[in-house]
Amino acid sequence: MATLLYRLGRFAFRRRHFTALFWVALLALAGVGAAGAPVAGNTSFSIPGTEAQKAFDVLEERFPGASADGATARVVFKAPVGEKMTDAGNKAIVRDTVEELSDGSEVARVTDPYQGGGVSRDGTVAYASVSYQVSGMELEESSRDSLEDAAEGARDAGLTVEIGGDALQAVPETGATEIIGIGVAAVVLVITFGSLVAAGLPLLTALIGVGIGVAGITALASTLELGSTTSILATMIGLAVGIDYALFIVSRYRAELAEGREREDAAGRAVGTAGSAVVFAGLTVVIALVGLSVVNIPMLTKMGIAAAVTVAIAVLIALTMVPALLGYAGRRVRAAGEKGKRRGREDEEKENGTAKEKARRPNMGTRWARFVVRRPVAVLLLGVVGLGAAAIPASSLELGLPDDGSQPTSTTQRRAYDLLSEGFGPGFNGPLVVVVDAKNSDDPDAVFRQTGDDIKALDDVVSVSPAAPNKAGDTATITVVPDSKPSSVATEDLVHDIRDAGTGVKADTGADVLVTGATAMNIDVSQKLNDALVPYLTLVVGLAFLLLIVVFRSILVPLKAALGFLLSVMAALGAVVAVFQWGWLSGLMGVEETGPVMSMMPIFMVGVVFGLAMDYEVFLVTRMREAYVHGEKPDEAVVTGFRHGARVVSAAAVIMMAVFAGFIGSSESMVKMIGFGLAIAVFFDAFVVRMAIVPAVLALLGKKAWWLPKWLDRALPNVDVEGEGLRTEGDADAGEKGGSPDDRDLARV
């Protein structure tokens, strides 16, 4: 592989005009497609195989025209102090508002609070429910404007009015912190390379790659039903890995220049060595993201595949456009160790010699590696104990999905949620819809009554509505209002109790009793994700383990990498629980409401963090493997790996942390949590696991670290990540005769 990538790097360096034009044209094409694409359509959250989804499907079939998947809104009214919503004047205002809401072209129905029991017991709060014929993402802007105008009219008349539900859902905003994250990345790159030109290359290529990926997602959003969070995730991961991959290749290019190589040869060798690590690191990320499909949640599958495609684009750009831009930059990208301005070819050649001398001096990475090699046990214990302590909060992890109660208090959705809790109790924001399918029963009406009575006898139930049968009379819905808020353990227990009671009803009558609604759906999602975590972890870690055996030709090194990852991801989950569930530093992170951790967070963090963790493992340990293969002792190889890779890996980790942390400012709680979780996970993995635990373990293992059974060594393909085949490649190319160099390299690729 190293030889193939070496030739690709040289070809891209020589044919820089063609390479750059190809990527710019692809970006323009994706941009045109995104600009002309229709607005994303229905992105309904379906969960195949769950009871809540089965009930939802029954509603679609037995209650046609009910718009079960349509957008909903709750317009909540509160009377001025000293008045009640049952006063004649306030009644008139509400009824005028209901009449105005009913005029919308996309409105399916509107309930009158005074006819549908929508007034609180103390009379201070009332609400009108609005159901639409289309989903929230398909709702026209004019319908949203009409909803807000109707509410504003009631406000002008003297009532407090807020709007809940998904009818007003908007594309989440990431805020200015995302730009700050990119700015931090730029500063780190300038410090690392000491050159604006060299620092600008990774940023430019990463932005082009993300631009292509996000524009492609936007162009296909309507066709593939991709949500807005998908493009944010692709941006987050694409920027992070795009900058890092380009950083490693540019850094290796400068190191090759410091060895006295010609620029074209240095570009080829950078792609052949660091590029090999980029390919395998990218593969681990892609495996982890595509592996999310095993959970069988369509939205999560689409998010993973879209992000994986963006990562694949980042890899291809790093292998081709980076060497092309290095060709354009010429001498403005200097050898590692060079300082000051360029002063001509002779001075450059002299400075290359000086750079070699400086390269032999111990840098910070070298000094740290020597310290760890001398005291491996102490460093190992300190790292493991520290991560173990950080992971302690994960033992009290509670899972759920965000609702309006997790929105900032500045939003009308959150204020509507609070008003409903005040007037009707916390459980009113998460009603349960019980679907009774009595098609196979002899007396459906008796089944409906029995089911309602059984539910009333359960704990934590505030109210049970009368059964509402369909036209055929064989299926009915019963609305149950819990006493606890939607995300509470008590509400989850109630869902299970109703399902247990339904089992008894089925045994007696043959009717199916199914629980659905947003709250039940969230509970089922959490359970489905919990059940899928172990199979997913086995699949992803197993595939990556095999891949790393091929890369490192070792059993213990991949095993150590996987165990180190488990430590870092558990510590990161502990930090997420401490901030978003316990409330530690919640003000600093902009978390206004603590509660359960998003259900997708553990499995999503396992996938993404594993892929990113293997990035640093591959980049750092391949340098050690390279030194060991070339004859150095195990301890010396560890030091050599840190001498060449510690500075770059540290810079890459800081950049990735900055990019992820930039999304903490998002208005979407899910994006905020993902940004924080990934940022802290990268910190733990890069600076504790890879920089401390990895060298300590390798120092303790010595030669055993690189042991591989002979039969397995013969069976594995030789991918040559260390670039052994490049020792003579440059000489062979220099001696070739006949035909242009461009044509020779193109033919080889």
Side-chain angles (χ1 to χ4, degrees):
M1 174 177 285
T3 303
L4 175 66
L5 293 178
Y6 168 78
R7 293 166 179 166
L8 178 62
R10 291 190 65 183
F11 170 75
F13 187 95
R14 290 176 180 174
R15 293 294 183 89
R16 59 187 73 105
H17 302 312
F18 168 79
T19 305
L21 181 62
F22 170 81
W23 286 111
V24 172
L26 190 58
L27 176 62
L29 183 64
V32 170
V39 177
N42 186 4
T43 56
S44 57
F45 193 76
S46 63
I47 315 294
T50 62
E51 179 174 315
Q53 185 63 45
K54 183 180 178 181
F56 182 85
D57 295 339
V58 170
L59 288 175
E60 287 280 284
E61 176 189 346
R62 307 286 175 82
F63 292 82
S67 302
D69 62 342
T72 59
R74 273 179 170 176
V75 183
V76 187
F77 307 88
K78 184 175 182 180
V81 177
E83 299 182 17
K84 293 189 180 295
M85 292 304 305
T86 51
D87 294 346
N90 293 334
K91 265 189 176 183
I93 296 171
V94 171
R95 282 177 172 157
D96 288 344
T97 304
V98 169
E99 184 177 349
E100 184 178 350
L101 290 169
S102 302
D103 293 337
S105 60
E106 294 180 312
V107 174
R109 61 188 176 277
V110 181
T111 61
D112 187 321
Y114 303 102
Q115 296 178 359
V119 181
S120 64
R121 289 182 179 179
D122 62 5
T124 59
V125 179
Y127 74 93
S129 294
V130 186
S131 300
Y132 291 89
Q133 298 170 358
V134 296
S135 68
M137 294 300 294
E138 294 174 309
L139 202 62
E140 292 182 0
E141 200 61 38
S142 59
S143 296
R144 292 191 177 95
D145 293 339
S146 298
L147 178 62
E148 292 177 324
D149 290 343
E152 191 60 36
R155 289 190 191 105
D156 293 340
L159 298 179
T160 298
V161 186
E162 303 296 345
I163 306 171
D166 62 351
L168 292 183
Q169 69 180 18
V171 176
E173 300 174 355
T174 54
T177 51
E178 179 185 349
I179 306 300
I180 295 173
I182 296 176
V184 171
V187 171
V188 173
L189 287 169
V190 171
I191 294 173
T192 302
F193 291 138
S195 164
L196 288 174
V197 175
L201 293 183
L203 281 176
L204 177 60
T205 54
L207 289 173
I208 291 174
V210 168
I212 294 172
V214 173
I217 290 171
T218 304
L220 298 173
S222 177
T223 304
L224 301 180
E225 298 181 359
L226 303 177
S228 57
T229 308
T230 303
S231 59
I232 294 179
L233 174 64
T235 300
M236 184 189 304
I237 296 178
L239 269 178
V241 300
I243 294 174
D244 277 9
Y245 293 165
L247 165 65
F248 282 108
I249 289 180
V250 173
S251 177
R252 187 59 184 255
Y253 171 77
R254 296 176 71 237
E256 295 294 339
L257 289 180
E259 294 294 327
R261 304 189 190 282
E262 293 295 326
R263 294 188 177 274
E264 181 182 320
D265 185 43
R269 287 178 179 272
V271 175
T273 52
S276 296
V278 165
V279 169
F280 282 100
L283 272 176
T284 59
V285 180
V286 169
I287 288 172
L289 290 171
V290 173
L292 291 171
S293 59
V294 303
V295 184
N296 195 27
I297 295 179
M299 187 189 79
L300 191 60
T301 298
K302 293 171 185 177
M303 288 172 62
I305 292 175
V309 171
T310 306
V311 171
I313 292 172
V315 171
L316 293 174
I317 284 184
L319 298 178
T320 55
M321 194 167 186
V322 170
L325 293 181
L326 289 172
Y328 282 119
R331 295 175 183 173
R332 286 186 290 274
V333 176
R334 300 187 296 274
E338 284 189 24
K339 304 294 181 183
K341 297 181 179 179
R342 177 176 55 85
R343 297 188 298 274
R345 180 176 291 273
E346 283 189 17
D347 288 341
E348 183 179 333
E349 290 174 355
K350 291 178 181 178
E351 287 178 348
N352 279 341
T354 304
K356 289 183 185 179
E357 284 297 321
K358 290 184 178 180
R360 296 189 184 99
R361 299 176 187 173
N363 57 18
M364 185 174 294
T366 303
R367 293 193 294 271
W368 170 249
R370 288 175 178 170
F371 171 80
V372 174
V373 167
R374 287 196 303 269
R375 298 174 178 82
V377 175
V379 172
L380 178 61
L381 288 176
L382 185 62
V384 171
V385 171
L387 291 178
I392 290 175
S395 61
S396 62
L397 175 68
E398 296 177 9
L399 298 177
L401 286 178
D403 54 20
D404 285 347
S406 61
Q407 296 269 9
T409 52
S410 59
T411 63
T412 186
Q413 292 95 326
R414 171 60 187 277
R415 291 195 293 265
Y417 180 98
D418 292 340
L419 283 177
L420 288 172
S421 296
E422 175 188 333
F424 298 91
F428 196 78
N429 284 290
L432 305 175
V433 179
V434 179
V435 180
V436 185
D437 180 3
K439 191 173 184 179
N440 298 323
S441 174
D442 296 332
D443 188 355
D445 290 336
V447 173
F448 300 154
R449 288 194 299 272
Q450 178 184 343
T451 303
D453 292 341
D454 289 348
I455 295 174
K456 288 178 183 177
L458 299 175
D459 295 332
D460 204 52
V461 174
V462 171
S463 65
V464 179
S465 72
N470 62 348
K471 290 183 179 180
D474 59 6
T475 306
T477 60
I478 300 173
T479 302
V480 180
V481 177
D483 188 39
S484 306
K485 64 181 182 178
S487 58
S488 68
V489 175
T491 300
E492 182 177 350
D493 291 340
L494 176 60
V495 170
H496 294 311
D497 290 343
I498 294 175
R499 287 173 174 169
D500 290 341
T503 303
V505 172
K506 183 175 178 63
D508 295 338
T509 66
D512 287 325
V513 178
L514 308 170
V515 185
T516 188
T519 301
M521 186 71 82
N522 291 349
I523 292 169
D524 287 353
V525 169
S526 299
Q527 186 61 50
K528 191 176 182 69
L529 289 166
N530 281 339
D531 293 342
L533 183 58
V534 173
Y536 172 71
L537 189 63
T538 303
L539 173 68
V540 171
V541 175
L543 288 176
F545 182 77
L546 295 175
L547 187 65
L548 292 178
I549 289 177
V550 174
V551 174
F552 296 127
R553 308 196 78 78
S554 164
I555 298 293
L556 295 180
V557 170
L559 180 61
K560 171 264 308 170
L563 294 176
F565 151 74
L566 291 175
L567 275 174
S568 59
V569 79
M570 288 303 298
L573 274 176
V576 169
V577 170
V579 173
F580 291 88
Q581 188 175 309
W582 291 0
W584 294 4
L585 302 178
S586 57
L588 182 63
M589 298 297 167
V591 180
E592 297 189 19
E593 183 73 20
T594 59
V597 172
M598 183 184 64
S599 300
M600 295 183 185
M601 196 65 191
I603 198 165
F604 185 81
M605 183 176 285
V606 165
V608 177
V609 174
F610 182 78
L612 300 179
M614 294 307 102
D615 280 2
Y616 300 119
E617 179 75 15
V618 170
F619 289 131
L620 192 61
V621 181
T622 47
R623 269 295 186 136
M624 300 177 190
R625 170 73 183 173
E626 184 178 341
Y628 179 76
V629 167
H630 291 164
E632 293 189 12
K633 294 180 180 179
D635 286 356
E636 294 173 349
V638 171
V639 175
T640 299
F642 268 76
R643 180 169 64 248
H644 292 293
R647 177 184 176 90
V648 181
V649 168
S650 298
V654 172
I655 289 170
M656 197 171 280
M657 289 167 55
V659 172
F660 288 149
F663 289 84
I664 295 176
S666 173
S667 61
E668 178 70 33
S669 59
M670 181 171 73
V671 176
K672 182 190 293 288
M673 191 178 295
I674 289 174
F676 172 80
L678 294 183
I680 197 68
V682 168
F683 171 77
F684 287 143
D685 195 85
F687 293 105
V688 181
V689 175
R690 309 305 154 189
M691 289 292 178
I693 294 178
V694 166
V697 171
L698 291 178
L700 289 172
L701 291 175
K703 291 184 178 180
K704 295 177 182 177
W706 308 108
W707 171 80
L708 187 69
K710 291 183 179 180
W711 64 268
L712 185 57
D713 186 43
R714 290 191 297 268
L716 292 177
N718 184 12
V719 295
D720 189 24
V721 177
E722 300 84 15
E724 184 69 21
L726 299 183
R727 286 192 162 192
T728 59
E729 184 65 27
D731 296 336
D733 282 348
E736 287 179 352
K737 303 294 181 184
S740 70
D742 294 334
D743 293 338
R744 289 197 304 270
D745 276 348
L746 180 58
R748 286 174 170 176
V749 173

